[in-house]
Each structure stands twice: as structure tokens, then as C-alpha cells.
Amino acid sequence: MGTSAITALREIILEVVRYTAQGQWKVLILDEASKRIVDSVVKQDDILQEKVTNIEQIEHKRALNQDLDAVYLLTPEPHIVECLMVDFERRRYHRSYLVWTSFLPPELKQRIDQSSIAKEQIAQARILNINFFPRESHLITFRDPSSFPVLFHPACNQLVPRHLFDLAQKIVSVCVSLGEYPTIRYYHPHNPLHEASVLCSHLARFVQEGLDQHAKHHEDFPPPSPRPRGVLIITDRTMDLFAPLVHEFTYQAMVHDLLPLKEGDKSYYKTIVNEGTPREEVKEMELGEKDKIWVKNRHLHMKDLLEKLVVDFNKFRADNPQFAEKSEGSTSINTIKDMIAGLPQFQEGKELYSLHLNMSQELMNIFQKCRLTDVALVEQSMAVGLDEDYKRPKNLTDQIVRLLDDDEVNFPDRLRLVLEYVLYRDGIFRSDMEKLLAHARLPAQDGEILQNLEMLGARVFRPLKDTKPTSQPLFPRRQPPAQATEDLSLSRFEPAIKELLEEQLRGTLDQTLFPYTKPFLDANEGLMNQVNVSQASLRSAKPTWARTRPSALEPRQRVIVFMAGGATYSESRVCYEISESFAKDVYLTSSHMLHPGLFLRQLGELSVDRRRLDLPADRPKPRPPAHLYEKESVISTGSSQPLVTAGGLSNGKSATTANTSSGTIEPSQKLHPLPSPPFIVTTPSTGKLSKGPKEKKRGFFKF
């Protein structure tokens, strides 16, 4: 499926390491933040193979090593620049090659420019566009859950302009790293009720300015390609409030919704491996791209998953004779688990199958215990606006009350039902709200969660004499399927992003709802964003027989969707499905990934004191560690070959390094001071930098 964002970022990082100080042995210096970026896509061994003797962290203790050149891959933060200046003053390395992960603010650039010692040691300086984290091949995050309160908490208004600027930088980084100079569309809601409704328009303008500045100062951007011009769609969480609430029964979404994962930069699940044997142990296992079973099955419906796990297990057993048993034929989940526990070999395969069989079994136990079939039927009717027979729901309030009174329905699910009912009814009477909360027996603070929906553009309460017309869905309701099944009745709802992408790729997306940042200069440009719909689609406005579906060899157009305020795993699934059905590359990008529990918590925090949020902007600014100013000794060895190691990151100490030829600086490595960068500056293919615009002071939502 097209270009993987993980692969793209990995190649950028390795390329800059490979061709910086080309032909010379060098030390790679990272900081805590840039290390997270590098570690997310590159193995240390791959870096060490690029004539890198050691990988060190700038905040750690490091010995002077004046025989080797240093490649600094750093984040442009004040304390990191201060650490860098200490290195220059100590003349810690022979020559220094500066590579910044994103835009270098003018005040930090000036701090370096004014130092004659720094100018003497800087052999080259450039800026990459890599300040993002590919979580999956087509899923990118910024690992910033604080973005949600900053954008929507009323006490964070003064933080919004700077935050939008930072988000724009990162979105531009994604586009530049993919080699895309896309047309930009943004969500512009009709008749909005909330102040944050203008977020997307301002963010889209910032991104457009950033891309224009980058193209202005880089003649090789965008790189020549037969690929159709890409599209960037900027929207936010308020576009679809049902998606983070509705139970989704595909594997990945259920795992993040129902199981106790250890969430962080990566997701881990604690399970028992080698169960029933002397080697039985509890192990935390990662759910990521290295797990092929996870990647292959994460978007399957649970019913299909259980059947496929059995089929794949039997194939795995057939491919490995040591896995065979006397009894052949159908095998249940429990039987398979027992068989796996007794196998002495194929440890990795055993553990992966144990992991997914245990998780799928636990999901089914929760599904039955918490009466999710009954909950989901009511949820689907509210989210879709139609019942399982695709008719207007009847007696929906009575069904909800019965579920709220049911002790087997847990409290988070009761809260989700009430929230969904408020969204479905476009607001309810206060007296009705009090009755629902009484039936649900929810704590008082959950009432604040309900009221906080107003900050996301929803109407919570309606007056007794309401003259306001009922709000209409963003996109027309889908036609009912020819033949409905029980499985489909629990999965009728699809996130709004699916209709958004389908209409964009068909060329029918409403330009008043999703306007462009720039009008089309070429009437044919709009047609480039249309897709050739598959022949299975009979509801298309135009006949499909006249269209030619792109072949597998043709470059696929790219569509990048940025969801401000967090994206869901159901929306990620939709992007993969649209990529497959429309022969496009759709990348979902967001500040962070939301599961229902996190969404409820962040929604509740919109009414708490800002000081309790522990926002990065409210924390003390990081300072350089004190040990940087301690006296150090020079390390030099007489050997002609370097000692290749990565110990610098694990223990904070520099490994022994070797002499290298000092020589003269080659033409491609000419000494020059750091120039003033534009908004987002260079790519691995160029070192050009130029002046950028001064940042203007702006008021909240008045830019």
C-alpha cells in the first residue's frame, strides 16, 4: 500500500547521517526529544553502520573527543541550544554539523550567530522536517495529548495562537517529508455554536503560508513526480463527536477500548506466555508494526478475527511439522491455546499467537459480560439516526433507561449512552437530563462532562419552547444495504471521515463546508482530486463504465487528513479502507490517538482548573544539566580503527573513539554560519536556508 510514513522518515534520517561529513567517521549527538523521533523508526545498529562510532545524548555526561567530527541532530529548544554552546566552548569535537528537527526560532539562531567560537566549529547547518511520529504506515501522530485542552479549554485561550503555529510546523513537516505540496481544504462548519469553530481556518492558513515559504526557498520542492498533486484536509474533533464514543467491534478499536493496555509512545498488553508449562511467565508484549499478526488483522471485525486466527494457526502448524498433533480437523480457541502451551520451539510465533488468542478471548468475555450487544444496538440507532431496519427509532428513551438501570452495564458505558443520547436529540430538557443521571447513578462530576460537550459545538440543553430547527448531519445518510445481518446491525455507524474522503475523491465535497485555502487556478486541478470509483458502486452520480481505475503501477495520489484534537482508531481503519478501495494513499495525522476512556477524561478536564492539567506550557522550562559545566579531560586513542558502540545512550557515557584524518573541509562541507531559516526549511537533499517571517503578536482567534 503505497509509501509508508515509517519508511519515509527512516530514509530521511539515515540519509542525513550517511551524507553529512561524508566519508569521515563521526559521532551522532541526539537530545531526549530527537532521540524519541529517531528511535521510533530507526534501529541503532542501522545508524552505526553509517560510519558512526557512537551515539550520544547531549544532556548526558560525555568526554571530550576532539579527534572526531560530530553530527548534532537536535530539537530547537533553548536548553538544547545552551548545551550545544557549552560543547562549542569546550571544543568537544573536531568539527560540528548541525541538523535541527524543525524550525529554529530567530532568537536561538541569533544566540549561535553571535558566537565566534561556534562559527569556527560549525562546518554545516541545516533543518530537516521530521518533528512527527509515524505510528503505523499510514497513521502519524505528534504524541501530544495536551493539544486537546489547549484547543478547547476556555482558560487556555492565550496558548492557542502559538499552539496552532506549532501544529502548522508539524503538518508542513509531514507534507515535506512525503514530498507533497498539496491543495488544502479545511472544515468550516455551518452555523457553529462554539468559539473554537474557527480553529481549522486559521490552522489551514498557517500551513498554507508554511508550505509556500518552503517552496519559495527550495527550488527542488516539490520533487518532480508523475504522481497527481496531493490533498491536505484539515478538520477537528468537533466534526464527529460520535466516533470517540460509539463501541466499534473491529479488533484494534476493541483492544484500545476494552483492554487494560499500557499506553505511551507504544502500546503494550500484559499476557501469560507458555501457559501451563514450567516456563510460564507474565510478559508485556508490544502491539506494533513488528507484530505481523496484529498488522494483518487489526481492522477485522471480531467475528471474522476469531475465524481467521484459527485458520492462520492451522496454517502455521502445517508449515511447521513440529507443530502437528495427531488430531486433525476443527480446533477451538481453547484447544489451540493448550496446544501452544506445550510447544518447545517457535518461541516468537508461539508468543504472538498466545497474545492474540488471549486478547481475543478476553474481548469476547467482556463483550458478553457487559451486555455490549444490547448497548451497541441502541448506540448504532442514535449514531446513525435509524434503527436496525433503517427506520426512525421508536421507544429509544425507554431502551436507554432500561440499560441505565441494568447493573451489568458498567458506569463508563452508561455515561457514553447519555452523551450519545444528548447528541442524537441535539440537546434535551434539564429535567430529562436529571432523570437520566438518576437512572444511571453516575457521580456528580459526570454531569460536568455532559455540559462540556458545549465547548465542542454540541447543544446539551434545549429550552421548553425551542424554535431552533434540528441540526442536520454533515453528509447524507447512507442507503440501507440490500441484505442486513446481525453483525451489520452492530456496525452500521461509520465515522464522518469516511463520507468526507469518499466525497473528496469523487469530486463532490461541498466547498462551503470544506473550502480551499486558495482558489483553483486551473479548472482541471479539481478533477485531479477525483477518484475513479470501483465498478461495484451503483449509487455514483456518474457511470463507472467510462472511468479507468489506476493500475497498480501508476503512482497513487496522496490524501493527508489532519484531525485536530485527537483521532480514533475507527477513523484510522476507515483511511486504510479508503486507500484500498479508491487506489489512493490516505494518511491520517493527529496530535494523538483517542480511545473512549481518554476522550471522556479529556472532556471532563475542560471544566477543571487549568493548573491541574499539567500542560507543557505551564511546566518549568527545562534547564541544561549542571554537569555540563564540570571540567573534563580529552579522550584520544592511537588505534587506526574506531570502536563502534552505542553505549552512549544507555549509560550516558562516551565510548572510546579513534583518530580520524582532520584534512580540509570538502566543498560540500564548507564552513558557513547558520543563516536565518524560513518557516520550515530544508530537506535532506539540500542545505539551503533563508530568512523567515517575523512572528506577529495575535489575539485568541483574531489573527
Side-chain angles (χ1 to χ4, degrees):
M1 180 192 290
T3 302
S4 166
I6 296 175
T7 302
L9 183 56
R10 180 179 182 274
E11 291 177 350
I12 289 172
I13 293 173
L14 288 179
E15 181 180 326
V16 77
V17 173
R18 182 180 303 125
Y19 294 112
T20 302
Q22 189 172 3
Q24 303 293 326
W25 287 96
K26 57 223 171 194
V27 180
L28 177 63
I29 314 298
L30 306 174
D31 58 53
E32 183 178 359
S34 66
K35 179 181 180 296
R36 290 178 65 201
I37 296 173
V38 172
D39 288 349
S40 68
V41 294
V42 184
K43 297 179 181 178
Q44 290 186 19
D45 288 344
D46 294 335
I47 295 176
L48 294 172
Q49 291 176 9
E50 303 296 341
K51 285 205 151 186
V52 173
T53 66
N54 195 25
I55 305 173
E56 300 178 344
Q57 192 164 320
I58 198 168
E59 301 98 333
H60 290 176
K61 287 187 176 182
R62 293 164 291 127
L64 296 176
N65 204 332
Q66 297 173 343
D67 293 328
L68 283 177
D69 293 341
V71 177
Y72 289 90
L73 181 56
L74 304 175
T75 51
E77 296 292 339
H79 70 291
I80 298 300
V81 171
E82 191 61 35
C83 292
L84 177 66
M85 298 306 295
V86 172
D87 276 11
F88 289 151
E89 292 168 4
R90 296 287 177 88
R91 298 186 180 274
R92 189 178 298 278
Y93 303 105
H94 179 216
R95 291 177 300 186
S96 298
Y97 297 82
L98 303 187
V99 183
W100 302 99
T101 60
S102 61
F103 169 70
L104 183 66
E107 64 274 13
L108 298 183
K109 172 197 167 299
Q110 185 178 16
R111 171 82 169 89
I112 298 172
D113 283 351
Q114 291 178 346
S115 170
S116 58
I117 297 178
K119 290 182 179 181
E120 292 174 6
Q121 298 176 61
I122 296 174
Q124 192 179 55
R126 64 191 311 181
I127 295 179
L128 293 182
N129 298 279
I130 59 171
N131 194 16
F132 58 91
F133 300 89
R135 189 181 180 101
E136 298 173 8
S137 65
H138 286 63
L139 176 60
I140 299 168
T141 72
F142 302 151
R143 293 183 180 175
D144 184 15
S146 67
S147 181
F148 183 89
V150 169
L151 292 177
F152 299 112
H153 196 294
C156 296
N157 288 357
Q158 72 274 23
L159 300 179
V160 172
R162 179 71 235 181
H163 185 63
L164 289 182
F165 184 81
D166 292 340
L167 286 177
Q169 283 186 308
K170 295 175 181 179
I171 296 171
V172 171
S173 292
V174 172
C175 295
V176 172
S177 296
L178 292 174
E180 292 291 340
Y181 191 2
T183 57
I184 302 177
R185 305 186 73 167
Y186 60 92
Y187 178 46
H188 181 68
H190 298 158
N191 305 316
L193 302 175
H194 59 302
E195 186 179 12
S197 63
V198 298
L199 284 174
C200 292
S201 61
H202 290 306
L203 181 56
R205 179 166 59 86
F206 283 174
V207 174
Q208 186 70 70
E209 291 172 355
L211 285 169
D212 291 346
Q213 283 290 325
H214 188 85
K216 179 180 178 180
H217 295 92
H218 297 84
E219 297 178 357
D220 58 347
F221 179 79
S225 172
R227 188 189 311 276
R229 187 178 185 184
V231 181
L232 169 64
I233 302 175
I234 295 176
T235 183
D236 65 61
R237 187 66 272 157
T238 66
M239 183 186 79
D240 185 357
L241 295 177
F242 273 109
L245 293 172
V246 172
H247 285 84
E248 160 118 354
F249 297 120
T250 52
Y251 188 31
Q252 184 181 41
M254 285 189 76
V255 165
H256 285 273
D257 183 5
L258 303 178
L259 295 185
L261 299 183
K262 180 181 177 181
E263 299 274 14
D265 290 351
K266 299 178 180 179
S267 298
Y268 296 89
Y269 180 71
K270 187 179 294 185
T271 188
I272 299 176
V273 297
N274 300 315
E275 189 173 359
T277 72
R279 299 166 57 195
E280 178 178 321
E281 63 173 321
V282 177
K283 186 175 182 179
E284 280 189 349
M285 299 186 67
E286 179 186 346
L287 302 177
E289 297 301 286
K290 297 178 183 178
D291 183 347
K292 301 306 178 184
I293 299 176
W294 173 253
V295 173
K296 190 176 180 181
N297 299 299
R298 61 190 170 200
H299 298 141
L300 287 181
H301 191 278
M302 275 303 297
K303 175 180 177 296
D304 299 326
L305 171 72
L306 294 174
E307 295 176 356
K308 192 171 186 304
L309 280 178
V310 173
V311 171
D312 290 348
F313 173 82
N314 288 332
K315 184 178 183 300
F316 178 69
R317 182 179 59 177
D319 292 341
N320 301 275
Q322 302 90 332
F323 222 43
E325 273 203 344
K326 294 181 180 179
S327 59
E328 300 292 334
S330 60
T331 309
S332 67
I333 294 294
N334 290 331
T335 303
I336 292 175
K337 290 172 64 177
D338 294 339
M339 291 166 58
I340 288 178
L343 293 175
Q345 300 177 359
F346 311 105
Q347 188 64 28
E348 182 178 358
K350 286 167 50 183
E351 292 183 356
L352 289 177
Y353 274 105
S354 294
L355 168 68
H356 294 288
L357 291 168
N358 288 341
M359 287 200 305
S360 60
Q361 188 64 57
E362 182 62 21
L363 289 173
M364 292 311 299
N365 292 340
I366 296 173
F367 180 85
Q368 296 169 1
K369 178 182 177 181
C370 298
R371 293 194 58 186
L372 292 187
T373 298
D374 297 330
V375 171
L377 282 173
V378 175
E379 281 186 333
Q380 294 290 316
S381 296
M382 291 188 289
V384 176
L386 301 171
D387 62 17
E388 56 266 35
D389 297 322
Y390 286 85
K391 297 179 181 179
R392 185 176 179 83
K394 296 180 180 179
N395 304 319
L396 199 55
T397 304
D398 294 338
Q399 296 178 50
I400 291 175
V401 169
R402 283 196 294 270
L403 289 172
L404 296 179
D405 290 334
D406 194 328
D407 291 336
E408 293 184 353
V409 178
N410 61 41
F411 287 104
D413 285 347
R414 297 182 200 182
L415 177 58
R416 288 162 72 171
L417 283 169
V418 176
L419 286 164
E420 290 159 348
Y421 184 69
V422 170
L423 295 174
Y424 165 69
R425 294 294 303 271
D426 193 25
I428 60 178
F429 300 136
R430 287 187 179 271
S431 57
D432 290 342
M433 176 72 78
E434 294 172 358
K435 294 176 183 177
L436 289 174
L437 292 177
H439 280 284
R441 289 162 286 170
L442 294 172
Q445 58 266 30
D446 285 352
E448 295 183 3
I449 296 178
L450 290 161
Q451 294 189 50
N452 289 348
L453 279 175
E454 292 182 346
M455 301 179 198
L456 302 184
R459 185 165 70 153
V460 177
F461 299 110
R462 63 168 59 194
L464 292 176
K465 295 182 179 180
D466 184 22
T467 59
K468 181 179 178 294
T470 304
S471 61
Q472 298 300 313
L474 285 180
F475 304 102
R477 291 194 175 102
R478 291 175 174 270
Q479 296 295 322
Q483 185 176 3
T485 64
E486 181 179 354
D487 295 334
L488 184 61
S489 66
L490 299 180
S491 304
R492 289 172 283 133
F493 169 75
E494 290 286 6
I497 196 174
K498 183 170 186 176
E499 294 284 357
L500 163 63
L501 287 168
E502 288 180 345
E503 294 204 9
Q504 164 63 33
L505 295 175
R506 289 178 179 138
T508 59
L509 186 60
D510 186 353
Q511 293 194 28
T512 63
L513 187 61
F514 286 89
Y516 291 88
T517 54
K518 289 184 176 181
F520 283 140
L521 300 180
D522 183 353
N524 293 324
E525 186 174 2
L527 299 177
M528 295 173 63
N529 297 328
Q530 298 184 27
V531 74
N532 304 314
V533 185
S534 68
Q535 296 180 2
S537 177
L538 301 180
R539 296 191 298 273
S540 175
K542 297 181 180 180
T544 60
W545 52 264
R547 300 172 184 170
T548 304
R549 183 179 177 84
S551 70
L553 299 178
E554 293 180 13
R556 294 156 65 119
Q557 184 190 28
R558 290 167 175 162
V559 180
I560 303 169
V561 180
F562 178 75
M563 178 72 72
T568 69
Y569 289 99
S570 59
E571 291 165 335
S572 173
R573 169 187 59 81
V574 163
C575 290
Y576 281 98
E577 292 174 350
I578 293 293
S579 295
E580 182 67 24
S581 59
F582 285 81
K584 304 291 180 181
D585 274 345
V586 181
Y587 297 87
L588 178 61
T589 307
S590 186
S591 55
H592 63 298
M593 295 306 294
L594 284 172
H595 54 79
L598 177 58
F599 179 68
L600 292 177
R601 178 170 66 81
Q602 291 199 310
L603 185 60
E605 289 175 346
L606 293 182
S607 55
V608 304
D609 191 300
R610 171 178 160 178
R611 291 170 293 184
R612 293 172 52 191
L613 298 178
D614 189 31
L615 298 175
D618 295 334
R619 297 171 189 163
K621 299 301 180 183
R623 298 173 61 87
H627 66 74
L628 286 179
Y629 306 99
E630 297 174 357
K631 188 174 181 179
E632 302 174 76
S633 59
V634 179
I635 283 188
S636 180
T637 67
S639 61
S640 59
Q641 296 295 326
L643 173 63
V644 180
T645 175
L649 287 180
S650 60
N651 56 22
K653 297 179 181 179
S654 175
T656 304
T657 57
N659 288 325
T660 61
S661 62
S662 55
T664 59
I665 300 177
E666 299 178 7
S668 62
Q669 303 166 345
K670 288 183 179 179
L671 178 69
H672 61 81
L674 273 173
S676 177
F679 182 90
I680 297 284
V681 227
T682 91
T683 61
S685 60
T686 177
K688 299 178 184 177
L689 303 171
S690 55
K691 295 183 179 180
K694 295 183 179 179
E695 183 181 355
K696 297 179 180 179
K697 295 183 179 180
R698 302 179 175 92
F700 176 55
F701 296 148
K702 296 178 182 179
F703 303 102

